[in-house]
Amino acid sequence: MFQPNTTCARALVTNLKAPLPITYATMTNVIKQYIGYIIRVLPDRMLAVCMLLFIWNCAEAQKLPEMQIPDFTQIKEAVNDPSSPFYYPNLVRKYNSKDTTMTHEEFRYYYLGYIFQEDYNPYRKSEYSHQLDRLYKQTKHSVGECENIVKFALLTLADDPFDLRQMNFLIYALKEQNKYKDAAIWEFRMNHIIQAILSTGDGKAPETAWYVIAPAHEYNILNRLGLTGKDFVFVEPYYDYVEVDKNPLKIDGYYFNVHYILYVFDRKYRYEE
């Protein structure tokens, strides 16, 4: 029986699951790189064409959010104004009610507006998050371990709602428990938070760097794009440039704007050290 080596194809499909910040022309070139591979691996040429069309449709389906560099003066006013549709307590209630009608714009204010909340700490780490460190290293988990993942991931997210690593682990555990509806709600949340970040720029230059409210989100975004960060350089006055490992797209790295991470930490926590 024919057993195709799907490692290369799987890597491409993994990348296509995320809204990559590249043009369709670039995606076309990437797909061309895999045409020869697919045809060599699959004995049936028609099947190869079908797979190629499937991958092409995945690429076409990915629509980048419109780039809109945030106006933080306006965001601060909106999230603090009870008459605003983006008043932060109302956004929190809508998010916590598992409302899947939350719009892209609401998620932008929910994510970026968090920096103006009293409990915002850019280096926040929940006391519960370390409970799952050992389980992260495993590739398979028992029923009891999945129950613990769900328990401590939920406790962590109640304390730090933007811990994307815990959110991703929670989704995995819920699916292992066949709780697909709950997993779908968390996937909706995580995907829209990621879209909110990606909509703040394109990461190609300091002027269009992606805005993040926690350093960990830099690596969360890269992982989501199928890339692995290998090193970072701080670029004055408030940018992180994260270099990535070699990849088919020949991307060297991306810029992240950490202005408000540095500002809030300096204002709130500098003298606590």
Side-chain angles (χ1 to χ4, degrees):
M1 181 180 293
F2 174 71
Q3 295 292 337
N5 181 348
T6 59
T7 301
C8 194
R10 188 181 297 116
L12 176 61
V13 173
T14 298
N15 282 343
L16 292 177
K17 289 180 180 177
L20 298 179
I22 56 177
T23 64
Y24 287 123
T26 304
M27 180 58 76
T28 300
N29 290 332
V30 172
I31 291 175
K32 285 179 180 178
Q33 295 175 29
Y34 288 90
I35 291 176
Y37 168 80
I38 293 173
I39 292 178
R40 285 196 308 272
V41 168
L42 297 177
D44 188 328
R45 298 255 176 141
M46 183 58 69
L47 186 57
V49 172
C50 290
M51 178 177 281
L52 180 60
L53 289 174
F54 169 75
I55 294 172
W56 182 274
N57 286 334
C58 287
E60 284 294 309
Q62 299 301 330
K63 299 300 182 183
L64 292 176
E66 180 182 354
M67 187 174 76
Q68 184 180 359
I69 296 176
D71 179 344
F72 282 94
T73 300
Q74 188 273 330
I75 291 173
K76 183 177 181 179
E77 291 176 357
V79 298
N80 289 323
D81 180 2
S83 66
S84 165
F86 305 113
Y87 182 49
Y88 206 80
N90 290 343
L91 292 178
V92 172
R93 278 193 289 271
K94 191 169 186 179
Y95 180 88
N96 288 338
S97 68
K98 303 180 180 180
D99 191 333
T100 56
T101 67
M102 277 189 75
T103 66
H104 169 68
E105 197 68 6
E106 287 175 322
F107 269 99
R108 271 178 59 95
Y109 280 86
Y110 178 65
Y111 178 77
L112 299 170
Y114 188 52
I115 67 174
F116 301 112
Q117 307 311 302
E118 189 60 35
D119 66 339
Y120 169 61
N121 178 350
Y123 297 97
R124 189 187 200 101
K125 189 170 180 64
S126 171
E127 62 179 304
Y128 302 107
S129 61
H130 73 279
Q131 298 285 346
L132 299 178
D133 289 345
R134 176 182 59 83
L135 297 180
Y136 275 117
K137 301 175 183 178
Q138 299 177 201
T139 56
K140 292 185 178 181
H141 301 89
S142 67
V143 172
E145 287 172 335
C146 284
E147 289 175 353
N148 279 333
I149 292 171
V150 171
K151 173 184 176 180
F152 288 108
L154 287 173
L155 286 170
T156 299
L157 289 164
D159 183 50
D160 180 4
F162 297 103
D163 189 328
L164 298 180
R165 185 187 187 209
Q166 295 284 343
M167 200 177 294
N168 191 57
F169 208 22
L170 172 62
I171 292 166
Y172 155 77
L174 288 171
K175 288 181 177 180
E176 288 293 298
Q177 294 179 328
N178 296 323
K179 296 179 179 178
Y180 296 110
K181 288 184 178 180
D182 289 339
I185 290 171
W186 282 104
E187 281 187 319
F188 172 83
R189 291 169 168 174
M190 185 174 70
N191 289 339
H192 278 78
I193 290 170
I194 289 170
Q195 288 282 308
I197 297 171
L198 291 174
S199 72
T200 62
D202 60 18
K204 296 178 181 179
E207 296 78 16
T208 55
W210 286 312
Y211 284 78
V212 290
I213 65 172
H217 293 172
E218 298 175 0
Y219 293 90
N220 296 146
I221 289 295
L222 294 177
N223 291 340
R224 178 70 171 183
L225 299 179
L227 302 169
T228 302
K230 65 177 183 179
D231 199 4
F232 86 95
V233 178
F234 181 72
V235 179
E236 293 287 353
Y238 39 69
Y239 302 100
D240 283 347
Y241 178 74
V242 183
E243 299 177 1
V244 299
D245 283 340
K246 290 183 179 180
N247 56 85
L249 302 179
K250 298 182 179 179
I251 295 169
D252 295 323
Y254 285 111
Y255 289 91
F256 295 87
N257 190 311
V258 294
H259 180 195
Y260 283 92
I261 291 177
L262 299 177
Y263 171 74
V264 172
F265 181 76
D266 187 68
R267 183 171 62 87
K268 284 186 176 181
Y269 305 105
R270 177 69 66 187
Y271 298 106
E272 294 182 9
E273 294 183 326

